[in-house]
Amino acid sequence: FHIGEREEKCIIEDIPSDTLVVGNYKVQCWDIHKHDFLESAPGLGMFVTVTSPSDISKLQVLLSKLYGPQGTFSFTSYLSGEHIICFQSNSTRFAVIAGSKLRIHLDIRVGEHFLDESTIQAKDKVNEVNVRLEHLIEQIHHVTREQDYEREREEKFRKTSEETNSNILWWAIVQTLILISVGIWQIKSLRDFFISKKLV
């Protein structure tokens, strides 16, 4: 994605609790003379801020750190929900003259722990099987957590739907009672009017 030199860009990731998130990014600068994005100038870095929802509907900062023009950041989610990941360059130029565009290449991996093949090849076959088995068990735990999170979201959605349906039913009953009351009142008023005018 592209951002301005002094602009902040945020993305939202819906992450289950107790999940490791690893992000890799690389920043490129727009070159006016070459009309292309080039590797960023030395000294240009990125502030990475990660916030998560907390118990009291406020945001809690999980990570706030300055990185270089390319880097890797990681954090573990403590609560399930929408986590906000924000990027902003550390440019000190005034907003008027800081007109450069930045291109950010971002790769976010949620809940995945990649195996280092070089360390696996260095070990004997028994250790390799053991490491791969531990990796598979870890992936199974991650899938289980993901399913629990989806189940929790579905429960919340079903509860909201049932409450909405119940409210709609009560509103329909109230509307019907109001219409019947108004109808009875109108009939009584007309009857009293006709009796007072001696038309009936």
Side-chain angles (χ1 to χ4, degrees), residues 142-199:
H142 172 67
V143 169
T144 306
R145 282 197 306 268
E146 192 81 38
Q147 286 176 336
D148 289 341
Y149 178 57
E150 292 301 324
R151 197 175 297 116
E152 180 186 317
R153 288 183 63 190
E154 184 197 353
E155 243 175 68
K156 214 180 281 184
F157 179 74
R158 192 179 326 113
K159 192 185 230 180
T160 305
S161 298
E162 287 171 0
E163 285 175 4
T164 304
N165 288 338
S166 173
N167 290 340
I168 289 172
L169 175 66
W170 282 111
W171 178 241
I173 291 170
V174 167
Q175 278 184 324
T176 306
L177 290 174
I178 289 172
L179 284 173
I180 290 171
S181 302
V182 168
I184 291 170
W185 177 78
Q186 283 181 334
I187 290 170
K188 186 178 179 306
S189 297
L190 279 172
R191 193 169 143 243
D192 291 345
F193 175 76
F194 288 142
I195 289 172
S196 67
K197 295 291 182 183
K198 297 183 180 178
L199 295 174

Side-chain angles (χ1 to χ4, degrees), residues 35-53:
H35 297 287
D36 195 13
F37 284 97
L38 304 175
E39 298 304 317
S40 62
L44 183 67
M46 294 299 289
F47 284 108
V48 179
T49 307
V50 179
T51 52
S52 75

Side-chain angles (χ1 to χ4, degrees), residues 98-162:
S100 295
K101 286 184 195 172
L102 301 176
R103 176 188 283 167
I104 299 178
H105 301 271
L106 178 64
D107 176 33
I108 294 180
R109 298 187 303 269
V110 178
E112 293 190 15
H113 302 278
F114 293 96
L115 293 173
D116 186 0
E117 295 294 333
S118 61
T119 56
I120 290 176
Q121 289 172 357
K123 297 179 179 181
D124 60 2
K125 291 293 180 186
V126 176
N127 284 342
E128 180 182 342
V129 170
N130 191 20
V131 169
R132 288 193 183 273
L133 193 60
E134 286 175 3
H135 179 69
L136 284 174
I137 290 169
E138 195 173 312
Q139 291 292 354
I140 289 169
H141 288 312
H142 172 67
V143 169
T144 306
R145 282 197 306 268
E146 192 81 38
Q147 286 176 336
D148 289 341
Y149 178 57
E150 292 301 324
R151 197 175 297 116
E152 180 186 317
R153 288 183 63 190
E154 184 197 353
E155 243 175 68
K156 214 180 281 184
F157 179 74
R158 192 179 326 113
K159 192 185 230 180
T160 305
S161 298
E162 287 171 0

